[in-house]
Amino acid sequence: MSKTDIGPPNFREMIPEVIRKNYGRWKYHEILKPGVLRHVAESGDELYTVRVGSPRLVSVDFIRDLCNIADQYCDGHLRFTSRYNIEFLTPNKTNVEPIIKASKKIGLPVGGTGDAISNIVHTQGWVHCHSAATDSSPIVKAIMDELYSYFTSMKLPAKLRVSLACCINMCGAVHCSDLAIVGVHTKIPKVNNEKLAAVCEIPTVMASCPTGAIRRHPDKDLKAVVVKEDLPCLRWSNSPRYHVLRDCRLGVVEAELQKFAVDMRRTPERVLEAHSSDKVAHFFADLRSTTERAGFPSPKCTEAFAMPT
């Protein structure tokens, strides 16, 4: 009887034999040189890994080139890391140098291990996403061209992980990296309603904006959208003018020049001078209206549980 629900395949059927044999019984691993690792099992078996960098957007021909290397030197095994690196796995030490030579022949750098920068992960960009504030691949390519030598060597003080998000939705979880590059909308996007209906799904376009700035056109006979222009997400800054986090002393550009000498008989600075923005309500009557842009939400009172805890 044939299977009606295959589900995810068993990963153990796709790993190299040396990994299946020593699964969970590895003694240690070491980095032999940039991009080359050696894992040693308790049984004495060895596994060599050659890591190379790769772009995120690739062609079928590129995948075939990778598979040819894997078929020739790795018994058909390779894997992609979470940062788009490619790893060729082989139990034979004599295959390491041929793998490196074949990878460089198709333009792939070997490295990304140890105290180095790994591949830059990024979101889809304009090739797929319709709400991106900037494209991703050209920026990542330009950055990695400048940092190429830090990928192929291990001369940084520590590991470095860089990510790029095309907008503030940050669907690539860039905040989990050491450095994050985020594209921000600073101008109202122009809508070409003549082409919109032919190239976009209007409900999807409207749903892509988390603040609801993209709305259906008031004329129901038109398959078009309008953009609300007075939302905070389309401005340079979302901080209220009198917000304490904006006006405190740490917001000064030359803050590193201040001395942090401590006088045991007094506070380091006058309270009103450093934090006047949140002290006005305590000392004076402020008859001005509240700012149009909201600050942090007020804390909510906890509700009583139905049962004692």
Side-chain angles (χ1 to χ4, degrees):
M1 183 177 178
S2 61
K3 295 181 179 179
T4 57
D5 186 7
I6 297 176
N10 187 350
F11 71 94
R12 293 178 184 272
E13 300 176 357
M14 303 180 182
I15 58 180
E17 180 61 30
V18 64
I19 297 181
R20 186 184 300 110
K21 175 183 175 182
N22 299 280
Y23 195 86
R25 296 190 296 270
W26 295 95
K27 191 174 181 180
Y28 68 93
H29 75 276
E30 60 181 347
I31 301 175
L32 302 181
K33 61 180 181 178
V36 179
L37 299 93
R38 180 174 74 120
H39 289 76
V40 180
E42 295 176 355
S43 63
D45 293 339
E46 296 179 340
L47 176 68
Y48 293 88
T49 301
V50 178
R51 178 180 296 178
V52 301
S54 167
R56 176 172 181 173
L57 304 178
V58 298
S59 65
V60 175
D61 292 335
F62 178 81
I63 297 295
R64 287 173 178 165
D65 290 339
L66 299 179
C67 293
N68 289 336
I69 298 176
D71 288 338
Q72 187 173 359
Y73 302 108
C74 308
D75 299 324
H77 294 100
L78 61 83
R79 80 182 194 100
F80 290 86
T81 70
S82 59
R83 305 194 74 85
Y84 321 141
N85 293 307
I86 303 166
E87 291 186 346
F88 297 101
L89 312 173
T90 176
N92 300 320
K93 184 178 180 180
T94 56
N95 288 342
V96 172
E97 290 302 324
I99 292 174
I100 294 176
K101 184 178 179 180
S103 300
K104 290 182 178 180
K105 185 177 180 180
I106 61 175
L108 300 181
V110 179
T113 57
D115 295 338
I117 181 174
S118 187
N119 229 349
I120 298 181
V121 296
H122 60 85
T123 49
Q124 296 285 352
W126 292 336
V127 72
H128 176 73
C129 183
H130 48 247
S131 63
T134 183
D135 201 5
S136 54
S137 297
I139 300 176
V140 171
K141 176 65 167 61
I143 294 175
M144 286 305 293
D145 283 348
E146 296 295 327
L147 303 178
Y148 182 88
S149 61
Y150 296 102
F151 181 88
T152 57
S153 64
M154 296 188 296
K155 56 186 179 182
L156 290 177
K159 296 180 180 179
L160 179 60
R161 302 293 181 262
V162 182
S163 301
L164 182 142
C166 302
C167 71
I168 59 176
N169 288 333
M170 295 190 293
C171 61
V174 298
H175 49 283
C176 298
S177 298
D178 301 315
L179 295 175
I181 305 168
V182 182
V184 180
H185 287 285
T186 57
K187 294 183 179 180
I188 306 299
K190 296 181 179 180
V191 181
N192 188 341
N193 287 317
E194 295 180 358
K195 296 183 178 180
L196 180 67
V199 298
C200 298
E201 296 178 353
I202 293 181
T204 306
V205 174
M206 295 170 56
S208 67
C209 180
T211 60
I214 304 176
R215 304 181 180 184
R216 188 178 293 276
H217 197 281
D219 189 348
K220 296 182 179 181
D221 296 331
L222 294 177
K223 293 183 178 181
V225 298
V226 294
V227 179
K228 189 176 181 181
E229 301 183 2
D230 59 345
L231 292 177
C233 62
L234 297 175
R235 302 171 187 165
W236 279 101
S237 174
N238 293 335
S239 300
R241 181 181 178 185
Y242 300 102
H243 202 288
V244 61
L245 298 183
R246 181 188 178 100
D247 292 340
C248 63
R249 277 303 175 93
L250 292 180
V252 180
V253 177
E254 296 81 8
E256 67 275 7
L257 301 179
Q258 293 192 17
K259 297 181 179 180
F260 290 91
V262 178
D263 187 347
M264 301 298 293
R265 294 171 294 180
R266 55 163 293 181
T267 57
E269 295 189 48
R270 295 181 182 275
V271 175
L272 282 178
E273 183 180 356
H275 300 283
S276 59
S277 56
D278 61 340
K279 298 299 179 181
V280 176
H282 292 196
F283 293 93
F284 311 104
D286 190 358
L287 301 179
R288 297 171 295 181
S289 60
T290 59
T291 178
E292 294 180 358
R293 285 174 278 181
F296 292 134
S298 302
K300 297 181 180 180
C301 298
T302 57
E303 298 181 358
F305 291 98
M307 297 292 293
T309 59

